[in-house]
């Protein structure tokens, strides 16, 4: 039944969240929250996971806790409807990770596409050399798919909203659940990935046209930035390098402005901001034919983005006035989350037969054995 669903998702606090996060997952989380029909919904700040590759810069993670929390609240996540918590404040997650690590081989982790790409990106050994590949990577980072499985299963999540790039992590979690249940008996709940329905939202490119938004590349539009800051970025966005003159035929494929329009544009936007057209398909056809300048399209996109982001900016300003209350929201959410995780851990230890002090039958059996 729908109301039996338990939803879990989160983000690493390595920087402010941007519109890629928004269309990829945040917007969908708010929709799910408002539609209801679930038993519980958990949204967490994955600080422990962020420390696996920022272990030498804990202050970066520490400072970004509040940034992510403000972004969560400003997009409309309601602490009265969902549980907002900080990962490191749930010690049960660490213990579950340890137990699950016995169910996964080093070779399997090396084959995980997400881990594999990160190992190659960071230059930790040569992929052709199986012994050296990944040999220089921190163990915590290497095993973070196991940590993610602990996050998911601790709360018995049935549905995990993720981007396309996180699918391998969910697959790994499912494998761990199946292995545990096969060995120890049916205990853990098998999760499924919930992907954005709009393909343009699965991985929004950077404003420079590169495949990924990155703070270091300066190609992000942040949820928290001002309209003026966003204006500069939209006006400098990558479009079609062959579209030199307004009269030139334009290309949609690889044109970042149109990718953003695919992610954000709604039918009503044309009546509000560009009544010359009735749909995005009509605008695309006209652009491809020639006669429409990039600046006009960018201004149209800017109006759409401002309409979406201005309420978010205003809510953030309100929450910024009382930062202690934001921390209190996270504290209370972490306390509720720990209660749920503690229950799961108890069930896991019982299944693994390591709940010695709670097993009265074991104690009595040993007492009889040594009493005879």
């Amino acid at each position: 039944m729908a109301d039996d669903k338990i939803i879990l998702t989160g983000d690493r606090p390595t920087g402010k969240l941007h519109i890629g996060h928004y269309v990829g997952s945040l917007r969908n989380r708010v929709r799910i929250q408002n539609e209801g029909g679930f038993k519980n919904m958990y949204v967490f700040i994955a600080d422990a996971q962020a420390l696996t590759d920022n272990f030498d810069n804990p202050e970066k993670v520490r400072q970004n806790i509040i940034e992510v929390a403000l972004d969560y609240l400003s997009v409309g996540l309601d602490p009265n409807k969902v549980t907002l918590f900080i990962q490191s404040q749930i010690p049960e997650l660490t213990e579950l990770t340890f137990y699950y690590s016995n169910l996964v081989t080093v070779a399997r982790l090396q084959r995980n596409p997400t881990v594999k790409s990160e190992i190659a990106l960071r230059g930790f050994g040569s992929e052709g050399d199986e012994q050296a590949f990944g040999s220089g990577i921190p163990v915590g980072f290497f095993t973070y798919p196991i940590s993610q499985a602990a996050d998911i299963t601790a709360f018995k999540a049935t549905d995990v909203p993720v981007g396309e790039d996180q699918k391998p992590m969910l697959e790994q979690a499912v494998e761990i659940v199946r292995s545990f249940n096969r060995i120890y008996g049916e205990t853990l709940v098998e999760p499924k990935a919930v992907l954005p329905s709009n393909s343009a939202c699965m991985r929004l490119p950077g404003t420079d046209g590169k495949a990924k938004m990155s703070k270091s590349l300066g190609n992000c539009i942040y949820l928290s930035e001002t309209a003026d800051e966003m204006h500069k970025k939209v006006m400098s966005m990558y479009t079609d390098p062959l579209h030199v003159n307004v009269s030139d035929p334009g290309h949609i494929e690889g044109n970042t402005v149109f990718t953003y329009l695919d992610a954000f544009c709604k039918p009503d936007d044309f009546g509000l901001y560009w009544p010359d057209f009735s749909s995005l398909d009509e605008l695309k056809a006209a652009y491809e034919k020639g006669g429409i300048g990039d600046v006009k399209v960018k201004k149209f996109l800017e109006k759409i983005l401002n309409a979406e982001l201005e309420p978010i900016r205003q809510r953030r300003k309100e929450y910024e006035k009382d930062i202690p209350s934001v921390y209190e929201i996270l504290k209370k959410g972490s306390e509720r989350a720990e209660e749920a995780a503690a229950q799961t851990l108890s069930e896991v230890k019982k299944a693994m037969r390591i709940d010695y002090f709670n097993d009265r039958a074991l104690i009595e059996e040993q007492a009889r054995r040594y009493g005879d």
Side-chain angles (χ1 to χ4, degrees), residues 19 204-210 213 218-221 225 229-241 243 254-264 287 293-295 297-303 305 309:
I19 62 173
L204 203 64
T207 55
D208 55 1
K210 295 188 183 298
M213 284 193 174
N219 64 359
C220 303
I221 294 177
E225 66 188 34
E229 290 169 334
M230 190 187 74
H231 171 76
K232 295 174 185 176
K233 294 180 180 180
V234 172
M235 288 300 114
S236 64
M237 282 178 70
Y238 180 84
T239 54
D240 173 12
H243 191 233
N255 189 320
T256 306
V257 176
F258 279 98
T259 303
Y260 280 37
L261 285 173
D262 281 332
F264 282 95
Y287 183 83
D294 288 322
V295 172
V297 184
K298 288 179 178 180
K299 287 182 176 179
F300 177 55
L301 172 62
E302 183 182 9
K303 290 175 182 176
L305 289 176
L309 298 182

Side-chain angles (χ1 to χ4, degrees), residues 272-287:
L272 291 170
Y273 311 121
W274 206 345
D276 293 351
F277 301 98
S278 61
S279 69
L280 186 54
D281 286 340
E282 190 177 323
L283 172 59
K284 287 179 178 180
Y287 183 83

Side-chain angles (χ1 to χ4, degrees), residues 318-336:
E318 291 303 311
Y319 280 109
E320 286 175 347
K321 293 176 182 177
D322 190 0
I323 293 299
S325 71
V326 176
Y327 278 105
E328 187 63 21
I329 287 170
L330 295 175
K331 181 174 181 290
K332 289 181 178 178
S334 296
E335 290 169 352
R336 290 196 301 273

Side-chain angles (χ1 to χ4, degrees), residues 138-196:
V139 171
F141 183 82
F142 184 64
T143 60
Y144 83 84
I146 305 174
S147 172
Q148 281 200 336
D151 297 333
I152 294 165
T153 59
F155 306 100
K156 302 182 180 179
T158 59
D159 295 69
V160 184
V162 292
E164 184 77 21
D165 60 330
Q166 288 296 306
K167 282 179 65 179
M169 312 304 282
L170 261 292
E171 292 167 1
Q172 186 102 63
V174 168
E175 289 178 17
I176 289 172
V177 168
R178 291 176 178 174
S179 294
F180 188 96
N181 288 346
R182 184 182 69 252
I183 296 169
Y184 301 111
E186 290 293 324
T187 307
L188 302 177
V189 175
E190 188 172 310
K192 70 174 184 292
V194 180
L195 298 170

Side-chain angles (χ1 to χ4, degrees), residues 91-104 139 143 145-151 153 176 180 184 345 348-349 352 354:
E92 290 82 1
L93 301 180
T94 305
E95 191 169 348
L96 287 171
T97 300
F98 181 77
Y99 297 145
Y100 295 169
S101 66
N102 294 320
L103 306 175
V104 184
V139 171
T143 60
I146 305 174
S147 172
Q148 281 200 336
D151 297 333
T153 59
I176 289 172
F180 188 96
Y184 301 111
L345 178 60
V348 163
K349 294 176 80 169
M352 294 178 69
I354 57 174

Side-chain angles (χ1 to χ4, degrees), residues 9-261:
T9 185
D11 299 278
R12 287 158 46 98
T14 54
K16 295 180 178 181
L17 301 183
H18 51 64
I19 62 173
H21 296 115
Y22 180 68
V23 298
S25 61
L26 293 175
R27 185 168 61 180
N28 195 38
R29 293 176 199 174
V30 175
R31 178 189 62 77
I32 293 170
Q33 165 198 273
N34 293 338
E35 287 179 353
F38 53 81
K39 183 178 180 181
N40 286 305
M41 182 171 178
Y42 298 92
V43 182
F44 70 103
I45 301 174
D47 62 324
Q49 191 181 109
L51 285 168
T52 62
D53 56 338
N54 289 278
F55 57 87
D56 55 349
N57 191 8
E59 192 60 25
K60 172 185 175 182
V61 176
R62 180 182 176 84
Q63 293 298 328
N64 280 308
I65 294 290
I66 192 65
E67 297 294 348
V68 174
L70 286 167
D71 285 331
Y72 281 170
L73 295 168
S74 65
V75 298
L77 287 173
D78 184 348
N80 295 313
K81 296 179 180 178
V82 304
T83 299
L84 303 175
F85 71 93
I86 302 175
Q87 184 185 35
S88 64
Q89 304 308 297
I90 318 298
E92 290 82 1
L93 301 180
T94 305
E95 191 169 348
L96 287 171
T97 300
F98 181 77
Y99 297 145
Y100 295 169
S101 66
N102 294 320
L103 306 175
V104 184
T105 66
V106 171
R108 175 63 184 91
L109 287 173
Q110 286 180 326
R111 290 197 306 272
N112 184 303
T114 307
V115 175
K116 196 172 182 178
S117 64
E118 289 292 340
I119 290 175
L121 179 65
R122 295 162 190 270
F124 291 116
S126 170
E127 189 170 347
D129 184 347
E130 291 301 322
Q131 288 187 329
F133 187 51
S135 59
I137 200 166
V139 171
F141 183 82
F142 184 64
T143 60
Y144 83 84
I146 305 174
S147 172
Q148 281 200 336
D151 297 333
I152 294 165
T153 59
F155 306 100
K156 302 182 180 179
T158 59
D159 295 69
V160 184
V162 292
E164 184 77 21
D165 60 330
Q166 288 296 306
K167 282 179 65 179
M169 312 304 282
L170 261 292
E171 292 167 1
Q172 186 102 63
V174 168
E175 289 178 17
I176 289 172
V177 168
R178 291 176 178 174
S179 294
F180 188 96
N181 288 346
R182 184 182 69 252
I183 296 169
Y184 301 111
E186 290 293 324
T187 307
L188 302 177
V189 175
E190 188 172 310
K192 70 174 184 292
V194 180
L195 298 170
S197 57
N198 184 340
S199 60
C201 297
M202 290 189 180
R203 185 171 290 189
L204 203 64
T207 55
D208 55 1
K210 295 188 183 298
K212 188 175 182 181
M213 284 193 174
S214 168
K215 184 176 181 180
S216 60
L217 294 175
N219 64 359
C220 303
I221 294 177
Y222 295 100
L223 293 170
S224 56
E225 66 188 34
T226 66
D228 288 341
E229 290 169 334
M230 190 187 74
H231 171 76
K232 295 174 185 176
K233 294 180 180 180
V234 172
M235 288 300 114
S236 64
M237 282 178 70
Y238 180 84
T239 54
D240 173 12
L242 300 178
H243 191 233
V244 179
N245 301 307
V246 172
S247 58
D248 293 338
H251 297 85
I252 302 298
E253 187 71 27
N255 189 320
T256 306
V257 176
F258 279 98
T259 303
Y260 280 37
L261 285 173

